[in-house]
Amino acid sequence: MIPSPGERAAQTPEDSVAPDLGADPGRTYRLGIMGGTFDPIHNGHLVTAQQASDDLNLDLVLFMPAGSPAFKQDRDVSGPEDRFAMTLLATADNPLFMASRLEIDREGITYTVDTLEELRKRCPENVELYFITGADAIIDIISWHRAERIAEIATLVGATRPGYDLAWAKAAIEGSGIPFDVRYLEVPALAISSSYLRDRTHSGQSIRYLTKDSVIGYIQKRGLYRGARA
Ligand code: ATP
Ligand code: MG
């Protein structure tokens, strides 16, 4: 059973994985995982996850803010608790979405393969894993830590993202020799990024309609993205 938004706000690290997913042994469940820095989460992330749920019949999408992102060592990333709080706020009203603490509660650099291994261990066999990424991230996938193992554990979902060429990503993945199972998705184009929201906030411009009002309120309350740029 998928918990109600009220129950979800009180989630603990243990039950934030996917409570009861897989409970009926007579059917297969599909668990989506949307990884990211989410600094901050925005409507591009939300639209992509919704589209993946609709097209692939996912039972739940876990939004997984990265603890110490492997690819973002070059700038100051907001603290994990702030990024998790914004993720929780943005996902709380959608019964298909859930924020997960799995990566932020892990020490050290975040590797996707470790997250997928952990989910594979915790979920029953009748739960299939779908790892959702935008076109930019999927291009990098072949160079990710233990990419062969990722291909064994999860189906990849590559979503279009304005400014990134999915055809090139397809060719690179096919040429990699790693047997990835990839589903490609057309999502309504939202040419926005967390960097864009940070820049606008920094220069005092509105980010209204680019992310949820609850996230905007949180950014204001905590004074995020106002200081000197890294
Ligand atoms: P930043 O500008 O800080 O890199 P971002 O907007 O790319 O932020 P991330 O947290 O890096 O956000 O991305 C998480 C995932 O969401 C990645 O797989 C990324 O490709 C995807 N994504 C981000 N923005 C969009 C968008 N507008 N449309 C589709 N996918 C997106
Ligand atoms: Mg990015």
Side-chain angles (χ1 to χ4, degrees):
M1 215 187 71
I2 294 168
S4 72
E7 287 166 324
R8 204 173 307 134
Q11 69 194 3
T12 65
E14 274 308 303
D15 66 19
S16 70
V17 173
D20 297 337
L21 204 66
D24 175 358
R27 62 165 283 214
T28 301
Y29 295 77
R30 294 176 159 200
L31 174 63
I33 301 116
M34 179 95 195
T37 313
F38 301 135
D39 192 19
I41 189 164
H42 57 68
N43 290 346
H45 300 130
L46 298 166
V47 162
T48 300
Q50 183 64 50
Q51 189 74 43
S53 311
D54 293 347
D55 288 11
L56 299 164
N57 282 318
L58 303 180
D59 292 283
L60 186 72
V61 178
L62 288 183
F63 283 72
M64 184 88 66
S68 176
F71 296 111
K72 300 221 168 145
Q73 303 293 322
D74 54 335
R75 73 166 179 89
D76 279 343
V77 174
S78 303
E81 293 302 340
D82 279 331
R83 292 183 290 107
F84 179 74
M86 292 188 282
T87 305
L88 191 59
L89 286 169
T91 54
D93 62 2
N94 187 336
L96 276 177
F97 291 174
M98 189 169 168
S100 171
R101 296 189 60 92
L102 193 66
E103 289 197 351
I104 62 167
D105 286 338
R106 193 193 299 137
E107 299 282 305
I109 292 184
T110 300
Y111 289 110
T112 298
V113 69
D114 298 330
T115 302
L116 295 174
E117 293 272 21
E118 181 76 32
L119 287 171
R120 191 60 285 163
K121 245 188 278 164
R122 293 202 197 188
C123 295
E125 272 181 26
N126 60 337
V127 177
E128 295 173 352
L129 306 183
Y130 288 77
F131 188 74
I132 306 163
T133 74
D136 57 324
I138 204 163
I139 288 170
D140 296 333
I141 252 174
I142 43 183
S143 65
W144 281 0
H145 185 55
R146 296 180 58 216
E148 291 80 1
R149 183 65 185 140
I150 296 177
E152 281 168 15
I153 309 177
T155 300
L156 299 183
V157 183
T160 50
R161 182 175 184 182
Y164 297 91
D165 184 3
L166 212 45
W168 192 78
K170 272 186 201 176
I173 287 176
E174 276 161 27
S176 73
I178 303 171
F180 287 111
D181 175 9
V182 194
R183 314 291 162 84
Y184 294 96
L185 277 189
E186 290 286 333
V187 300
L190 285 184
I192 59 176
S193 64
S194 300
S195 321
Y196 180 62
L197 272 71
R198 291 194 300 274
D199 288 346
R200 290 185 65 91
T201 306
H202 180 70
S203 58
Q205 291 172 282
S206 169
I207 54 170
R208 215 163 170 204
Y209 311 121
L210 300 176
T211 188
K212 306 217 21 166
D213 288 346
S214 51
V215 173
I216 296 172
Y218 186 89
I219 290 169
Q220 283 167 348
K221 198 165 148 188
R222 297 277 298 137
L224 301 179
Y225 316 124
R226 291 219 202 112
R229 312 314 317 272

